Amino acid sequence: KNIYNLINDQQWDEAIKILNYELQFCAKGRVSSLLGYCYYMKGDYISAARIYEELSYYYPDNEEYRFYIAQFYFKSGDYDAALRICNNIKNPELIEKLTTLLGYIKYETGDLSQALGIAQIQEYKCPSFIILQGSIYLKQEKIEEALLLFEKARAIYGSTSEIIYNIALSHYKNKEYDKCMHYIAEIIERGTREYPDLYMGTRSDSPSYIKNSLSLKESALIEAFNLKVAIEYNLKNQINAKEALHDMP
């Protein structure tokens, strides 16, 4: 199969195998970029970072490679490494992307005041800053303020799974379980429709395989099902809670 067909079919392991072989005979560049992309889509962020670190070594003037490395470390949970790399990127063309990433690093490391400052200044530029600001308010238990921001993001940018999940989480924190379950159902219905490769719902005890962990993350299905389980346990519906765990992809 052509490598692009494999990528289009999300056959990451096969694509990675072929690209690693080809890399022995090719100059660093296009093949490495494709390999790093495949690792990223598979959810192997450390391997993706390693590939882009090699690219950055051969092309030291390309700061975009370093930004991707920081992004991969952030995705892997290594916030210190991500921050260290961000602090050494000077390209003005990367400022907006860099600021977004810094805001999320500050949020994940508990520096909420700096994260909020970044989000408030940048919120008009893209939905991620509105969502970040809402997430900070949610962490600070300012639930109504958070909900208003998530609803604002939804009105401007549409009903993405991330936005709907944050609205659901806000209602959960307010103990508004009926409203929360309404949004959970919306996420699950969307996941079934838009991500048919994610195996969920009524199923046997045989193991299932998720071939695209990035799709799983984008769908917010794990988060939605965890919220559903929490609600059922809170309501003492043990059987429903176990069913929700069983249906989780």
Side-chain angles (χ1 to χ4, degrees):
K1 273 189 178 182
N2 182 290
I3 191 67
Y4 293 102
N5 289 338
L6 291 172
I7 290 172
N8 187 58
D9 293 340
Q10 300 180 7
Q11 296 185 36
W12 308 121
D13 287 334
E14 187 64 24
I16 287 167
K17 180 181 176 182
I18 292 171
L19 289 166
N20 269 315
Y21 176 78
E22 292 294 331
L23 203 56
Q24 301 175 71
F25 312 104
C26 301
K28 307 290 181 184
R30 181 67 174 164
V31 174
S32 294
S33 293
L34 283 173
L35 182 57
Y37 172 79
C38 289
Y39 276 127
Y40 172 74
M41 293 300 291
K42 185 185 175 185
D44 186 349
Y45 304 121
I46 296 300
S47 293
R50 174 178 55 80
I51 294 299
Y52 271 84
E53 281 169 346
E54 290 178 4
L55 278 170
S56 183
Y57 175 80
Y58 285 101
Y59 302 98
D61 294 332
N62 190 331
E63 288 200 311
E64 193 165 16
Y65 287 152
R66 274 188 274 162
F67 172 76
Y68 288 138
I69 295 165
Q71 197 172 43
F72 298 148
Y73 277 124
F74 172 79
K75 290 281 191 180
S76 73
D78 191 342
Y79 305 124
D80 289 339
L83 185 59
R84 215 165 34 244
I85 295 165
C86 285
N87 288 337
N88 288 313
I89 295 174
K90 309 300 181 186
N91 187 342
E93 293 180 2
L94 296 172
I95 287 298
E96 190 170 323
K97 288 181 179 179
L98 200 58
T99 304
T100 303
L101 185 55
L102 282 169
Y104 277 94
I105 291 171
K106 296 296 183 182
Y107 172 78
E108 293 293 348
T109 54
D111 191 347
L112 298 185
S113 60
Q114 281 209 36
L116 184 59
I118 291 171
Q120 288 174 332
I121 291 169
Q122 301 288 335
E123 71 168 86
Y124 69 93
K125 291 186 177 180
C126 67
S128 62
F129 287 113
I130 300 176
I131 296 167
L132 175 58
Q133 191 176 341
S135 298
I136 293 165
Y137 284 149
L138 209 53
K139 226 172 201 183
Q140 295 174 331
E141 298 299 323
K142 298 176 180 177
I143 299 168
E144 296 304 326
E145 292 96 324
L147 191 53
L148 284 172
L149 284 167
F150 295 139
E151 292 287 4
K152 178 182 177 181
R154 186 185 194 189
I156 297 171
Y157 302 104
S159 299
T160 68
S161 296
E162 181 185 15
I163 292 171
I164 295 302
Y165 170 72
N166 279 297
I167 292 172
L169 183 59
S170 300
H171 287 301
Y172 174 79
K173 284 181 171 287
N174 262 347
K175 294 184 168 54
E176 298 169 334
Y177 295 149
D178 287 344
K179 290 181 179 179
C180 183
M181 290 293 267
H182 167 79
Y183 289 109
I184 288 170
E186 186 174 333
I187 292 169
I188 294 171
E189 188 278 330
R190 178 197 294 268
T192 304
R193 186 178 69 251
E194 295 185 358
Y195 302 92
D197 58 316
L198 303 181
Y199 192 72
M200 61 185 170
T202 306
R203 62 184 188 178
S204 67
D205 291 330
S206 59
S208 59
Y209 299 94
I210 302 301
K211 67 178 180 179
N212 190 346
S213 59
L214 194 61
S215 290
L216 186 60
K217 179 63 179 173
E218 289 173 349
S219 72
L221 284 167
I222 295 294
E223 293 86 349
F225 272 105
N226 279 329
L227 212 49
K228 186 175 182 180
V229 170
I231 290 171
E232 297 294 4
Y233 271 120
N234 288 349
L235 296 175
K236 311 300 182 186
N237 297 328
Q238 305 294 331
I239 294 175
N240 290 347
K242 287 179 181 178
E243 286 179 354
L245 278 171
H246 188 257
D247 288 345
M248 191 182 296

